[in-house]
């Protein structure tokens, strides 16, 4: 025996129909936008780096994700929302993150410098002689190092959530992470000098 149809039931059905239509429309728009984001790899400094590219604007911008993130996981909102008519957006997966595996991620003392070198080489390989940077968290640290190491490549820079210095508390925290996870995840313990 079925339940009687009430005004509340009709309102719920009307809401679900409208909601379903809105969700389908949003999914179509999202699918079209994601189709406009090109994915590819390029070999730089001995590693095949994954990158995502959208837009054909005159101002190239490299988006650099934070630790354990990727261009897709950390920077999709920027890839989606920044104007592709003004900017050529490139979001990278640093070596050992996202789809830039292999190699596995390792953390030698100069890993931020190596990431900055990779980022500069990636943009150069893609044909950009000058570009801007957006760096989030560890990506911000990489952006700051890239700006210091390759000032002639830089147009502008936005950094958020990045460390400008490394304190003793930071070192203790990093060592705790390395000790807690062990070398199983590629963390390398170093003696202090």
């Amino acid at each position: 025996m079925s339940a009687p149809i009430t005004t509340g039931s009709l309102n719920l059905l009307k809401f679900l129909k409208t909601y379903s239509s809105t969700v389908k429309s949003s999914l179509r728009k999202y699918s079209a936008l994601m189709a406009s984001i090109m994915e590819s790899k390029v070999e730089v400094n001995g590693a095949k780096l994954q990158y995502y590219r959208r837009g054909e604007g005159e101002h190239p911008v490299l988006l650099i994700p934070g630790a354990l993130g990727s261009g897709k996981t950390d920077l999709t909102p920027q890839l989606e929302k920044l104007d592709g008519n003004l900017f050529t957006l490139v979001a990278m997966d640093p070596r050992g993150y996202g789809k830039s595996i292999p190699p596995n991620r390792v953390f030698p003392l100069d890993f931020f410098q190596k990431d900055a070198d990779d980022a500069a080489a990636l943009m150069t390989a893609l044909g950009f002689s000058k570009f801007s940077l957006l760096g989030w968290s560890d990506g911000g640290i990489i952006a700051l190092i890239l700006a210091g190491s390759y000032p002639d490549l830089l147009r502008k820079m936005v950094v958020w959530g990045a460390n400008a210095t490394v304190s003793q508390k930071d070192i203790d925290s990093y060592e705790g992470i390395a000790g807690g996870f062990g070398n199983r995840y590629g963390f390398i313990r170093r003696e202090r000098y």
Side-chain angles (χ1 to χ4, degrees), residues 108-175:
L109 292 177
D110 63 345
F111 73 94
F112 285 129
Q113 180 66 56
K114 288 179 183 283
D115 288 341
D117 295 340
D118 285 350
L122 169 67
M123 292 302 277
T124 301
L126 295 178
F128 301 112
S129 58
K130 254 187 159 6
F131 52 91
S132 292
L133 300 169
L134 289 179
W136 153 245
S137 189
D138 277 9
I141 297 169
I142 295 164
L144 291 167
I145 292 171
L146 191 155
S149 299
Y150 303 94
D152 293 342
L153 296 178
L154 191 66
R155 289 178 72 171
K156 299 177 184 220
M157 179 171 54
V158 175
V159 171
W160 70 106
N163 295 355
T165 61
V166 178
S167 69
Q168 184 59 49
K169 184 177 176 182
D170 294 327
I171 293 170
D172 293 342
S173 175
Y174 299 150
E175 288 178 346

Side-chain angles (χ1 to χ4, degrees), residues 24-38:
K24 286 178 186 175
S25 173
S26 294
L27 286 174
R28 279 192 298 277
K29 289 177 185 174
Y30 180 75
S31 295
L33 178 64
M34 291 311 288
S36 72
I37 298 175
M38 182 201 74

Side-chain angles (χ1 to χ4, degrees), residues 42-118:
V42 65
E43 186 163 341
V44 298
N45 300 330
K48 289 183 181 176
L49 298 184
Q50 175 78 16
Y51 68 93
Y52 308 87
R53 182 173 175 164
R54 182 178 154 274
E56 294 298 326
E58 292 183 21
H59 190 143
V61 180
L62 175 62
L63 294 83
I64 310 172
L68 307 178
S70 70
K72 201 169 204 173
T73 61
D74 285 6
L75 301 164
T76 293
Q78 289 77 14
L79 283 170
E80 290 175 346
K81 303 292 183 192
L82 292 173
D83 189 339
N85 294 315
L86 296 175
F87 303 108
T88 299
L89 304 163
V90 177
M92 68 179 288
D93 292 354
R95 68 173 65 213
Y97 291 155
K99 293 184 179 177
S100 292
I101 299 173
N104 289 327
R105 184 67 182 185
V106 294
F107 295 90
L109 292 177
D110 63 345
F111 73 94
F112 285 129
Q113 180 66 56
K114 288 179 183 283
D115 288 341
D117 295 340
D118 285 350

